[in-house]
């Protein structure tokens, strides 16, 4: 009985731990997503992991959020066919690791007022409290253990 309850508790923890550990990062903190804010300084030293969220807070209609590539970040340009986030409380789930870039596409906010953000997202296995993935534990428990061959060899 006790061991089956323990198993259920562990299964529930394994399922929900990633979302419990996920962190919401409010871009610009209490200043939010705005012009003339140093987002490079804001991002410096932050360890963002896959599963974390970026929250862009701004007065709806005043700014927006485009996800762009490195070139778009440098040049403050978004692909013509891309659609910006405009809700004023935009939550972006960081689903993959790597370098990510975001700009404001309103007026010249990116070009003239530095409203652009570049971050690096790390794989979740680097997280401070790593939980073993099911893939790893499957492999660990199902690997055929080499049987002793004394007596059969030679
Ligand atoms: C970056 O995005 C621009 C459109 O904004 C596109 O023309 C360019 O090919 C992209 N560069 C890369 C490396 O994907």
């Amino acid at each position: 009985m006790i061991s089956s309850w323990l198993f259920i508790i562990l299964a529930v923890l394994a399922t929900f731990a990633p979302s419990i550990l996920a962190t919401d990062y409010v871009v610009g903190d209490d200043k939010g997503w705005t012009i003339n804010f140093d987002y490079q300084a804001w991002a410096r030293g932050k360890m963002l992991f896959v599963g974390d969220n970026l929250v862009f807070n701004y007065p709806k209609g005043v700014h927006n959020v485009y996800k762009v590539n490195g070139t778009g970040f440098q040049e403050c340009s978004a692909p013509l066919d891309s659609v910006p986030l405009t809700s004023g409380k935009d939550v972006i789930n960081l689903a993959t690791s790597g370098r990510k870039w975001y700009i404001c596409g309103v007026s010249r906010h990116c070009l003239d007022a530095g409203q652009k953000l570049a971050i690096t997202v790390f794989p979740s296995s680097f997280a401070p409290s790593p939980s073993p993935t099911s893939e790893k534990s499957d492999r660990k428990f199902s690997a055929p253990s080499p049987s002793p061959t004394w007596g059969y060899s030679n």
Side-chain angles (χ1 to χ4, degrees):
M1 263 320 263
I2 288 169
S3 64
S4 64
W5 273 111
L6 192 61
F7 176 80
I8 290 167
I9 290 165
L10 287 177
V12 168
L13 281 179
T15 306
F16 290 103
S19 56
I20 292 169
L21 295 173
T23 307
D24 285 353
Y25 288 93
V26 176
V27 176
D29 299 315
D30 55 339
K31 292 276 190 285
W33 183 232
T34 187
I35 55 173
N36 300 318
F37 183 94
D38 188 350
Y39 290 101
Q40 295 316 103
W42 178 84
R44 200 170 299 135
K46 286 195 169 56
M47 291 284 281
L48 293 100
F49 294 98
V50 168
D52 289 346
N53 296 310
L54 282 181
V55 182
F56 291 84
N57 287 330
Y58 54 91
K60 188 175 159 66
V62 175
H63 305 292
N64 61 25
V65 182
Y66 277 97
K67 186 175 192 310
V68 296
N69 63 23
T71 310
F73 178 81
Q74 292 296 333
E75 300 176 351
C76 285
S77 64
L80 289 175
D81 58 350
S82 67
V83 178
L85 300 169
T86 58
S87 78
K89 193 165 175 44
D90 304 326
V91 179
I92 295 179
N93 182 254
L94 302 169
T96 58
S97 59
R99 202 87 175 121
K100 317 281 170 187
W101 301 273
Y102 305 92
I103 65 170
C104 175
V106 171
S107 181
R108 292 169 62 89
H109 291 182
C110 175
L111 266 182
D112 293 349
Q115 196 173 1
K116 45 156 70 177
L117 170 68
I119 57 162
T120 301
V121 180
F122 296 94
S124 51
S125 56
F126 291 174
S129 342
S131 57
T133 66
S134 55
E135 194 193 343
K136 275 179 197 155
S137 40
D138 283 350
R139 202 177 300 138
K140 186 176 167 190
F141 291 117
S142 66
S145 50
S147 47
T149 53
W150 313 306
Y152 291 102
S153 55
N154 295 331

